[in-house]
Structure formats: C-alpha cells, structure tokens
Amino acid sequence: MKENIFVTRPSMPPWEEYTERIKPLWDSHWLTNMGELHNTLEQELKEYLGVEGISLMVNGHMSLELALAAMKFPQGAEVITTPFTFISTTHAIARNGLEPVFCDIKSSDYTIDEDKIESLITEKTVAIVPVHVYGSICNLERINRIAEKYELKVIYDAAHAFGSTYKGKGIGTFGDASVFSFHATKVFNTIEGGAVTFRNPDLYTKLYNLKNFGIRSEEIVAEVGANAKMNEFAAAMGLCNLMHIEEEMGKRKKLMERYRELLVPVKGIRLLEEQIDVKPNYAYFPIQIDETVFGRSRDEVCDALKQQGIFCRKYFYPLTSDQICFGDRYRGLPLETARSVSKRIMVLPLYADLQIAQVEEIVNAILACQCNRIK
Ligand code: T4K
C-alpha cells in the first residue's frame, strides 16, 4: 500500500545520538527545572540565533503568552496583530486580557501590511505583534519606525522563522522580543518547546519568574508565575537536532527548488516570492490557487489530493478573527486581502525526509485536478 504523505513530518536524530544524550539522566535523576541539558541548549541556541538574550520554554504558545505578560501591559490595552496566523498568536493576546486589533496583510508575502498599521493606533494601543508567517519576514524597518514614533512594543511571532536572518542578523534580534516554536512540526524541534529572545537583560529574570512560578529560592516567591519550563528530554532532542540543522534546511531547500521549477509555469498557482536580504529557513511551501484561472478551487484541489493520500493543510483558514470562539466580534472588519488569501491558500508537504519523487507526485496530482476539469 502507498504511504500517506502528510504536510510535515518531524525530523528525528539518529536513535543512538539521542539515547547517548539522555543516558546521564538515569544517573542524575535530574529531569526538569533548568537542568544541565536545558542550560546547554540555551547557550547553544543563543549562539546559533545570534541573540543577546534567550529564555527556553515548554512550547511556542507559552513563550508568546509570557513574552506579552512580561511587558506588563494594562488590562484591555490594544495590540495590533495579523489574523492570518495560527490561532496561538491571537489566543496569547486575548489570554493576557489584551484586545487584538486586526490589521490586514500584504498579498506579496502574507505578513502584516505596515501601511495599514498607523490608522489602527489609538490611545489604548501598547504593542504590535506581527508574525513572520511561513518564515516570510515582516517589514522590520518600517515596523520599527512606527513603534518608535508611537512608543509601542514589538513582539514578533517568529514561530516559523527559526534560523532565518535579515541582512545577516538573526531574526530573533529584532523588536523588543521574538518568539520561536520548537514544536515537532517545525524546522527545528525539541518535540514540544519554544523560546523568547530579547535584548533587554531584565527580561531574562522576568521570564524566569513567569515560567517558574516566580520562585527565586526555597522560601521566596517574588512574582505570580506559571509553569512553562522546558524539560531535559526536550532539551536533549534540541541538542541533537541542532547538530543537523544545516542538513535539515539543505534538504528542504532542494525540495522547494523542485516544487518551484514545476509550479512556476502553472497559470493560476501563485508561489511565495523570495525576499531580498533574507536568508530563508525553508519552513513551509504555501501555494495560492486562483480558481478563475486554474479551473479548480483550493478546496477541490485539497480534497482531490486527500483522496490520493496526500494531506495538505489550509494554513491559515479561517482567519483567527473569524473563528467561532470570537463569535461575530470581528467578522465585519476590513481584512480583504487576508480573507482572499485565506480562501485560496494551501500548504504543500515539506520536510527533510520527503523525496524529490514525492514532490513530483504531489505536483502531478495537482495538475491532474486541472486536466480533469478541462476534459
Ligand atoms: N505562532 C504560530 C504562527 C504558530 O504557527 C504556532 C504553532 C505557534 C505560535 C505556537 O507554537 P507551539 O505552541 O505549537 O509550539 C501545527 C502545530 O501543532 C503548531 O505547532 C503549528 N504552529 C501549526 C501551524 O501546525 P496542527 O493542528 O496543524 O497540528 P497537527 O497535529 O494536525 O499536525 C500537522 C501534521 O504534522 C500532521 O498531519 C502529521 C504531522 N505530525 C504532527 C505531529 C504532532 C507528525 O508527523 N508528527 C507529530 O508528532 O498544528
């Protein structure tokens, strides 16, 4: 029977490498609470990402929630963000008692439309939470200028952008903080995990308190905090995967190049443009299907591929602002580009172990949908 192809598949280090890493834990019995592997990974990632400060977390979502919490914004304050993202971004804002203010996106790279941010700023605005969606980098310079002009904080959701650089600088060095996800489905994974990167050293202590119940010593709890620590087994996975990160991205790059070669000539299918000054991380391969030109809708293509055991995903449909958990609250907002992209987008399978022949099979399956219509 033919193997199903999913949108992604986590990369795992050789079994022996992982077991070597975790073996000492059977002697030490030290499994979590900022253990040796946690601290080593924190140092190694600091160097790899080229950041001044980093705090490891249990996952990307808690990294975002706690990065926002660390800023100590007043309840009800407004945060300008994008609706074209994973629900985590919006939930992190809402769960901090803040009001998400949704800004439209650009059709060129699907990131927040910097031209529309200023018109959304009010007296209650405290921050901008842009997302480097699919690893597409936001307009860092314009966002920085807007933030400086209005004295706003910028917290980048860089869940998709691990290892990317802009003008040679690590993507985690921009804004007041950047948040990474090391979930199993990401370019770099610690099974579950995440991190906040930052320049202000005060944030290290604030985040430490927030991720460890505010405990400073056996008898002192200095702050109200949660539990969002990364454990030693996750850190061990990270240390192993970090050794193979260049190989991981190299394999993804080759697959992406083949996708591009095959799909660029296809009318009605739009690919993400490469960005100037950006070293990409080859995280996702989204395509937009224009039904009027291609002859088949995104949903028809997705369903047809599913029938053949190819499981693409409609990241990100519906927009987070239109999810039922928010009722009709944001349904009338002028988010034309985001709504249009969201209806046409699908993400094709991409992971290091995917074979070039499978990429060709996926593209053939897409093209076959078109032929079926023409017949
Ligand atoms: N901000 C943004 C912009 C994000 O995209 C995310 C997460 C976050 C914040 C929050 O970060 P975390 O708290 O998650 O660290 C997946 C991931 O679970 C999620 O991490 C990711 N974004 C999102 C875009 O995708 P689902 O609901 O699509 O996952 P699921 O379970 O359907 O997995 C997708 C496919 O991956 C499966 O069809 C098969 C494959 N898979 C998955 C897992 C979990 C495997 O092969 N092995 C596995 O262990 O959300």
Side-chain angles (χ1 to χ4, degrees), residues 70-342:
M71 303 288 164
K72 300 211 184 310
F73 297 129
Q75 291 289 292
E78 294 175 1
V79 174
I80 298 173
T81 188
T82 164
F84 189 70
T85 180
F86 190 55
I87 195 66
S88 166
T89 319
T90 309
H91 280 348
I93 295 168
R95 282 172 50 83
N96 267 287
L98 304 167
E99 178 63 25
V101 173
F102 294 102
C103 182
D104 208 353
I105 60 168
K106 290 171 292 185
S107 58
S108 54
D109 62 13
Y110 313 142
T111 65
I112 195 164
D113 187 343
E114 58 278 1
D115 286 338
K116 294 186 178 153
I117 294 177
E118 280 195 80
S119 66
L120 297 172
I121 295 174
T122 71
E123 280 179 359
K124 289 171 86 180
T125 310
V126 289
I128 311 173
V129 175
V131 179
H132 301 307
V133 66
Y134 310 129
S136 269
I137 303 307
C138 302
N139 189 330
L140 303 161
E141 282 151 16
R142 281 283 304 284
I143 292 172
N144 186 36
R145 278 203 294 277
I146 295 168
E148 274 183 358
K149 181 170 164 193
Y150 294 92
E151 296 182 5
L152 305 176
K153 298 280 188 207
V154 182
I155 297 104
Y156 282 105
D157 182 337
H160 300 178
F162 182 88
S164 294
T165 63
Y166 177 71
K167 292 189 176 168
K169 282 180 75 183
I171 214 61
T173 61
F174 295 90
D176 295 279
S178 290
V179 166
F180 294 91
S181 161
F182 308 149
H183 184 261
T185 54
K186 299 294 190 292
V187 167
F188 167 75
N189 88 77
T190 60
I191 310 170
E192 289 267 8
V196 185
T197 60
F198 44 84
R199 263 171 296 154
N200 181 350
D202 293 348
L203 269 182
Y204 188 81
T205 312
K206 281 187 187 159
L207 289 166
Y208 190 99
N209 286 345
L210 286 167
K211 75 177 174 188
N212 190 30
F213 310 103
I215 294 174
R216 298 308 302 179
S217 73
E218 273 183 40
E219 296 182 6
I220 295 175
V221 173
E223 252 191 90
V224 176
N227 177 4
K229 300 168 301 238
M230 179 183 280
N231 72 60
E232 291 292 90
F233 291 84
M237 191 67 149
L239 286 166
C240 293
N241 280 336
L242 198 55
M243 297 204 306
H244 302 282
I245 191 71
E246 296 309 321
E247 186 190 339
E248 167 81 25
M249 289 191 200
K251 285 183 178 169
R252 287 168 171 267
K253 179 171 187 268
K254 283 207 178 85
L255 296 160
M256 224 185 225
E257 283 166 358
R258 188 67 185 133
Y259 266 134
R260 293 192 78 84
E261 251 168 32
L262 297 169
L263 288 170
V264 161
V266 181
K267 295 208 165 51
I269 291 191
R270 188 167 163 180
L271 311 182
L272 248 188
E273 296 298 320
E274 284 166 27
Q275 293 180 299
I276 300 164
D277 293 327
V278 171
K279 175 178 155 290
N281 69 348
Y282 313 101
Y284 291 89
F285 195 82
I287 63 170
Q288 236 193 105
I289 298 191
D290 181 349
E291 185 182 357
T292 54
V293 182
F294 187 70
R296 286 279 191 164
S297 69
R298 182 271 313 267
D299 287 353
E300 285 175 313
V301 175
C302 256
D303 289 346
L305 265 61
K306 209 178 269 179
Q307 299 289 322
Q308 297 169 57
I310 302 167
F311 294 85
C312 301
R313 290 298 283 267
K314 298 175 199 172
Y315 297 138
F316 290 101
Y317 172 83
L319 298 180
T320 63
S321 52
D322 293 347
Q323 283 291 357
I324 55 167
C325 57
F326 300 117
D328 288 337
R329 204 153 153 197
Y330 307 115
R331 292 264 162 98
L333 295 178
L335 301 167
E336 283 80 14
T337 308
R339 287 214 170 81
S340 153
V341 171
S342 176

